Amino acid sequence: MGALQGKTALVTGSGTGIGRAVAERFAREGARVVIADRDAGAAEATAGAIGETAHAAVMDISDEESVSSAFASLEAAGWAPDVVVANAGVQLFGQDAKAADLDLEVWNRTIGINLTGTFLTVKHAVRSMRSQGGGSIILTGSPTGLNGEGAEFTAYSASKAGIHGLARTVAAAYASDNIRVNTVVPAYTETTLVTTISSDPESRKAIVGRIPLGRAGTPHDVEGIMVFLASDDGAFATGSLFAVDGGMTML
């Protein structure tokens, strides 16, 4: 029996990358998994690869009506999640910049998706979980929200710092409702989100050189901690930040 047997988990941004890897692992651990993504094709493809224990849901996390409708539809269909991984986000390479050079539109778009979108996901997850007697919410953070790693990415770094603070605030507010909220911080992880870096040997060498374990992260590196936090083994963990970053934030 898997660690998540009997649970239903929703993972945002799970059409690709870290979200897809986590959703697939959750399914292998026995959970029913909602593949939530604004790209309907990617969501359907991931759900199809997992099989009958997966359900595709189109969700644009920056649009509250989209988020609200998705949660309502899932509840009506018997797929209300007791685990939610708020993972979806953007990093606007070539547009995000140091503060004095950052265009307001880029700031607003990044914050709107990463921070406001995470807030909306959490808001409706909490509403759903309160009626079910509790649950586990897991946010995807970043080293850029903890140290100077994101000096060239003001909007992205600020959005992730906001996510870290949001997790602690919501954890404190809803602990009495048996809702746990934690943040997982991956290292630089090679997915389609960071092809600008991974396709440039010098840029890649520079960032991997700042990881003490000496390699880039992969989506599979964060699966284990996500399973722990989603499972009953993590029942006493809330309001915490779990770095799975090869030592990147210890320096």
Side-chain angles (χ1 to χ4, degrees), residues 10 22 26-28 39 52 55 69 80 100 109 145 165 172 179 189-190 247:
L10 180 151
V22 169
F26 280 8
R28 293 197 300 273
D39 183 335
E52 63 182 14
H55 177 87
S69 295
R109 183 181 173 201
I179 296 173
T189 302
E190 293 194 328

Side-chain angles (χ1 to χ4, degrees), residues 1-51:
M1 182 179 294
L4 302 181
Q5 198 71 37
K7 295 187 181 295
T8 299
L10 180 151
V11 184
T12 67
S14 50
T16 59
I18 289 175
R20 176 166 181 159
V22 169
E24 290 174 340
R25 175 64 181 275
F26 280 8
R28 293 197 300 273
E29 294 289 344
R32 298 190 307 165
V33 185
V34 178
I35 310 302
D37 203 290
R38 66 179 179 179
D39 183 335
E44 292 286 356
T46 300
I50 293 172

Side-chain angles (χ1 to χ4, degrees), residues 88-185:
V90 296
Q91 187 168 7
L92 302 180
F93 288 93
Q95 300 177 65
D96 206 345
K98 294 180 180 179
D101 303 314
L102 179 60
D103 186 86
L104 180 60
E105 189 279 330
V106 175
W107 167 273
N108 285 339
R109 183 181 173 201
T110 303
I111 297 298
I113 294 172
N114 290 4
L115 184 53
T116 303
T118 296
F119 157 70
L120 291 173
T121 303
V122 170
K123 173 182 176 178
H124 290 280
V126 167
R127 288 184 173 184
S128 177
M129 290 175 180
R130 289 179 79 180
S131 66
Q132 300 180 75
S136 173
I137 300 173
I138 308 165
L139 313 186
T140 300
S142 169
T144 63
L146 296 172
N147 55 25
E149 189 62 40
E152 303 284 339
F153 296 94
T154 302
Y156 182 80
S157 302
S159 73
K160 290 298 184 177
I163 285 170
H164 298 167
L166 174 67
R168 295 177 68 86
T169 300
V170 179
Y174 295 102
S176 61
D177 292 296
N178 196 34
I179 296 173
R180 299 183 294 106
V181 187
N182 292 284
T183 305
V184 172
V185 179

Side-chain angles (χ1 to χ4, degrees), residues 2-3 19 23 30 36 48 58 71 86 88 109 117 136 155 164 166 181 188-189 197 215 220 225 237 239 241:
V58 178
F71 273 92
R109 183 181 173 201
S136 173
H164 298 167
L166 174 67
V181 187
Y188 161 70
T189 302
I197 295 174
R215 68 170 176 83
H220 300 294
I225 191 65
L241 185 151

Side-chain angles (χ1 to χ4, degrees), residues 70-83:
F71 273 92
S73 295
L74 291 169
E75 185 172 350
W79 281 77
D82 40 36
V83 176

